[in-house]
Amino acid sequence: MHGGRPGIALFGGTFDPFHNGHLRMAIEVREGLPLPRVHLVPSAQPPHKPRQPVATARHRYAMAEAAVAGVEGLSVLDLELRREGPSYSLLTVREILAANPGVGVLFLVGADAFQEIPAWHRWEELLAACDFLLLPRPGTPPESAFPAGVRIEKEGDGCYSLPGRTYRLPGGRRLLCPDLPVLDISSRSIREKVRRGRSIRGLVPPEVERHIAAHALYRAEEGG
Ligand code: ATP
């Protein structure tokens, strides 16, 4: 989609568990840009996280799916769950591009995660394979997440119909930094609350809260 409208939007994550920060961001971007659809892509084996997920891939997928059932324009893809080995984003993007010739991919990523991108598998190829949209995280304004040594040039103000800024990545792909609300919710904070017996009402969709309770997830101490 060099130059064109965004194509297929992917929002990858561990989703351990999927929470209202993820949900609101997907909705804000879909309605604001606007996009016909945002696909959530739960990672089976996140290669760049310091530790492996707490809940199984099947539980994490089920929670994301239950959370977006009935939410217009949001759906969950299981392609990383069907693949063997580490869930490299480059493989996912390439799989989507191969299945949809002529269509570009827009990859939604939190600013904290983008900051770590030079540690990702074949990251330079990934930056050249699709467009990116940075989601603000507390303490990490989008522009502060630009990895050092990567030439990122400002292209203009605005991100399609959202206020913000657009940049060019090396290789010519776009990097969108829309002005979106910063939501201070993380999966880690939810896991910790569950472990301590605290309520997570309002932080996760009701379906996720029910799934966590029904399967007694996140009650044990975390390793790492
Ligand atoms: P953890 O606390 O376990 O590290 P997380 O809450 O960051 O997890 P992930 O599943 O790792 O959740 O997130 C998937 C993607 O969504 C990442 O790119 C992350 O930066 C982004 N993200 C997570 N929570 C938010 C939020 N509240 N606002 C914006 N982006 C978010």
Side-chain angles (χ1 to χ4, degrees):
M1 77 178 194
H2 286 262
R5 299 285 304 172
I8 299 179
L10 302 180
F11 184 13
T14 313
F15 304 134
D16 191 18
F18 185 83
H19 55 64
N20 284 344
H22 299 128
L23 181 63
R24 278 309 314 164
M25 284 299 141
I27 293 173
E28 295 278 347
V29 170
R30 195 191 80 73
E31 291 185 339
L33 227 51
L35 295 163
R37 184 159 289 278
V38 170
H39 301 275
L40 307 171
V41 188
S43 167
Q45 291 180 41
H48 47 263
K49 283 255 174 177
R51 36 152 214 88
Q52 284 304 298
V54 176
T56 61
R58 194 177 288 269
H59 275 305
R60 293 181 288 106
Y61 178 87
M63 288 188 278
E65 200 170 54
V68 303
V71 180
E72 199 187 334
L74 298 191
S75 46
V76 190
L77 293 182
D78 67 353
L79 76 180
E80 293 193 354
L81 277 68
R82 285 189 278 104
R83 234 172 30 220
E84 296 284 314
S87 306
Y88 295 126
S89 299
L90 179 64
L91 298 185
T92 302
V93 169
R94 293 227 162 121
E95 208 177 312
I96 295 282
L97 292 172
N100 301 275
V103 178
V105 164
L106 176 68
F107 199 92
L108 277 52
V109 59
D112 59 325
F114 191 75
Q115 208 162 26
E116 305 296 323
I117 217 160
W120 292 19
H121 176 69
R122 291 161 62 183
W123 65 280
E124 283 153 311
E125 284 171 65
L126 177 65
L127 286 190
C130 63
D131 289 352
F132 287 82
L133 183 147
L134 288 198
L135 306 167
R137 295 298 303 259
T140 315
E143 275 83 355
S144 79
F146 290 1
V150 180
R151 212 172 127 142
I152 298 176
E153 287 175 358
K154 177 118 183 253
E155 185 178 272
D157 289 318
C159 301
Y160 298 99
S161 301
L162 282 173
R165 290 137 325 274
T166 297
Y167 296 84
R168 278 280 166 197
L169 290 165
R173 299 291 174 181
R174 287 212 170 110
L175 174 62
L176 309 178
C177 296
D179 294 329
L180 295 167
V182 180
L183 298 169
D184 193 0
I185 306 177
S186 70
S187 296
R188 173 176 286 274
S189 68
I190 286 154
R191 295 193 302 269
E192 196 180 308
K193 280 194 197 303
V194 174
R195 196 160 57 244
R196 295 168 60 207
R198 297 284 172 84
S199 168
I200 52 170
R201 181 81 32 106
L203 297 172
V204 295
E207 300 79 5
V208 171
E209 189 179 351
R210 278 199 291 274
H211 189 103
I212 291 172
H215 298 274
L217 300 180
Y218 308 123
R219 300 227 180 127
E221 214 47 54
E222 272 178 47

